[in-house]
Structure formats: C-alpha cells, structure tokens
Amino acid sequence: MTLRFLGTTSDDGDCPTLYEVEETRQIVVQGDRLTDPEHLDQLRDVKESETFVVIPRELLTRFAPRSDDVAELVPFKEVAHLFAEFKHTAWRLETQRGYASDRESPKWNRWRAGESLGYDPAHPWHANVRTQTEAGKRFERVRLVDDPPTEGQRFLLASGLGNVEAGEDIRNLSRAEAQRAGLPDYDFWLFDSRTVVEFAFGSDGTTLGVRVREDAESVLRACQVRDAAWHYAVATTEFQAGVRSTM
C-alpha cells in the first residue's frame, strides 16, 4: 500500500509528520514516543502491539483530511473547462519526477534531438495562456526539481521557457527545500483560491484522473502550500541557469 505525505510542523521536515494510507485512508502518525510514566499509567485498554507518540495539535488540525471528504476520481477532461473559465488565478504544484504525457508528446523527441522548445502561438496551451493573461488573469506554477534533475525534469526546464513566453509565471524549487518547507508530494491545480483539482498518477507517471475538492479545509491547505512554495521558489529562467552551471 502507498503512503502519502500530508504534512509536517517541523522546520527540518522530519517529525512530527502525518501520512495517509491512500488505499484505506488510514492515518499514520510520526512523532516522539510517549515516555512519561504518569501519562502511560493513564492510558486505557492498551494492546501489546500499540505504540503512543506525542504530536502538536496543529499537526492534526492543519493536515488531517476530513473523513467525509472522499472525492470521486474523474477524467481530467471533465475539468479542462476551468482553464478558460477561471476568473483570476490558476496555480499549479508539480511534484513528479516525470510525466507520461510529456514522454508521449511530439516535443519529447524534438527536445532529445537537441531542438529548442520555444513559444508556439499555434499550440492550444500557449494560445489559451496568452488569451487569459492578456485578459489580466494569472497562470502560475511551481515545479519541484531533484538534484540532479531527472530527464523528465530537464525536459520541463527546457519546454517551460515557451510557457513563460506565452504568459505563465513558472518557478522551480529543489525537492530538498520543498521537504524542509513541509510541502506535499502530490500535484494539484488551485483555481481562484476556491477549487482544488488534485491529480492521481500511476507508477509510470500516467494520469489516472483527478479529484475536485471545494471544501474549506482542502482549499485552505492548498492556499497555504501555494504561499509557502511561491515564497521559496526561484524563477525558472534563473533556476535553469543554475542547473546548467552544475552539470
């Protein structure tokens, strides 16, 4: 079964930390073991297999998912209209080390052959970004990058320059810094600070579908992630230059 990182209240990104077992939605808690003898004596119905840890209340209030918030997995095409209909902002967090959609794109082989990937006004994505940003809306995203970058991440660093020319504000953040900041390890779009579109991926990076969430807790968490990621991330042009200098 797969553990999904939910969040941490530690500045060092270690503990206390909360995880979710994706298949069962059970919660796994990482924290300091309870050792106070007086407190241990007051515990009830303790099984031999049980362990008790101490965590700050904030860890649960900030990161524990609602038990009644089980969003249905739907095809990505069902949310495609949001990219033209949002009113103010469309913000994305990208955390994967590679995406099947990139590898299946015609741009992939062109990039591997050494071709530069710039702005293409005929490309549907670039055309829509240009239309929306000229109307005063904002397209923004933060992409996590490993050290060294994976092939998929290097592709996005290269192809992202065309997105920037189209009107997106793309920034990059090292995975190590993202973990220290307590950012999650799943992808999502946040539209107008009110609608969260969370991705589900297969082991090969194939998009299995998305979950749409509009409950207050999910939206608040996404806004907090956006603010922290945007604070630490670096403009992709600057980040790309730094990556080139170390390779």
Side-chain angles (χ1 to χ4, degrees):
M1 292 189 177
T2 305
L3 273 187
R4 170 183 165 193
F5 172 82
L6 294 178
T8 178
T9 54
S10 169
D11 292 334
D12 297 324
D14 47 12
C15 102
T17 304
L18 215 58
Y19 302 88
E20 179 184 23
V21 182
E22 289 193 341
E23 293 80 357
T24 64
R25 294 184 61 82
Q26 292 175 308
I27 299 300
V28 177
V29 181
Q30 176 185 351
D32 292 325
R33 190 186 301 274
L34 177 64
T35 58
D36 188 309
E38 185 176 350
H39 291 165
L40 290 170
D41 286 342
Q42 297 176 53
L43 296 172
R44 302 179 181 180
D45 303 320
V46 178
K47 299 178 183 178
E48 187 175 344
S49 60
E50 292 178 330
T51 300
F52 300 90
V53 297
V54 179
I55 60 171
R57 180 181 295 273
E58 181 190 12
L59 183 69
L60 296 177
T61 58
R62 285 182 60 186
F63 302 115
R66 290 167 39 145
S67 59
D68 60 343
D69 181 28
V70 184
E72 179 186 2
L73 193 67
V74 300
F76 179 78
K77 64 182 181 181
E78 292 194 14
V79 301
H81 63 94
L82 294 173
F83 295 96
E85 296 176 2
F86 72 96
K87 302 299 183 183
H88 309 291
T89 57
W91 190 91
R92 169 77 182 266
L93 177 68
E94 294 184 4
T95 69
Q96 306 300 298
R97 292 176 170 84
Y99 296 88
S101 58
D102 290 336
R103 296 190 296 272
E104 296 164 359
S105 165
K107 290 184 177 182
W108 182 263
N109 288 332
R110 289 164 47 199
W111 168 73
R112 297 189 77 184
E115 183 179 336
S116 61
L117 303 175
Y119 168 62
D120 178 4
H123 191 282
W125 181 263
H126 288 177
N128 182 59
V129 168
R130 179 61 61 90
T131 297
Q132 303 306 324
T133 54
E134 286 183 345
K137 304 178 188 180
R138 300 201 313 269
F139 265 103
E140 301 168 337
R141 71 175 86 202
V142 169
R143 288 172 165 163
L144 303 193
V145 182
D146 290 275
D147 184 16
T150 65
E151 184 179 34
Q153 291 165 350
R154 288 189 285 110
F155 169 80
L156 288 174
L157 284 168
S159 63
L161 298 179
N163 291 35
V164 171
E165 190 176 349
E168 281 195 59
D169 188 348
I170 300 179
R171 304 185 185 186
N172 295 97
L173 182 64
S174 73
R175 190 173 301 278
E177 288 184 90
Q179 290 173 343
R180 284 194 292 270
L183 300 185
D185 57 0
Y186 56 89
D187 287 33
F188 66 84
W189 278 100
L190 173 63
F191 295 96
D192 294 329
S193 299
R194 62 185 301 168
T195 301
V196 182
V197 175
E198 184 181 310
F199 287 77
F201 294 102
S203 59
D204 62 349
T206 298
T207 301
L208 303 178
V210 296
R211 292 183 172 89
V212 181
R213 306 182 190 275
E214 293 186 325
D215 63 281
E217 292 181 39
S218 295
V219 172
L220 175 60
R221 171 59 178 151
C223 290
Q224 292 171 332
V225 169
R226 175 197 59 198
D227 291 348
W230 206 245
H231 174 78
Y232 292 109
V234 177
T236 195
T237 49
E238 179 183 345
F239 190 91
Q240 188 182 61
V243 170
R244 281 200 301 265
S245 67
T246 59
M247 294 182 64

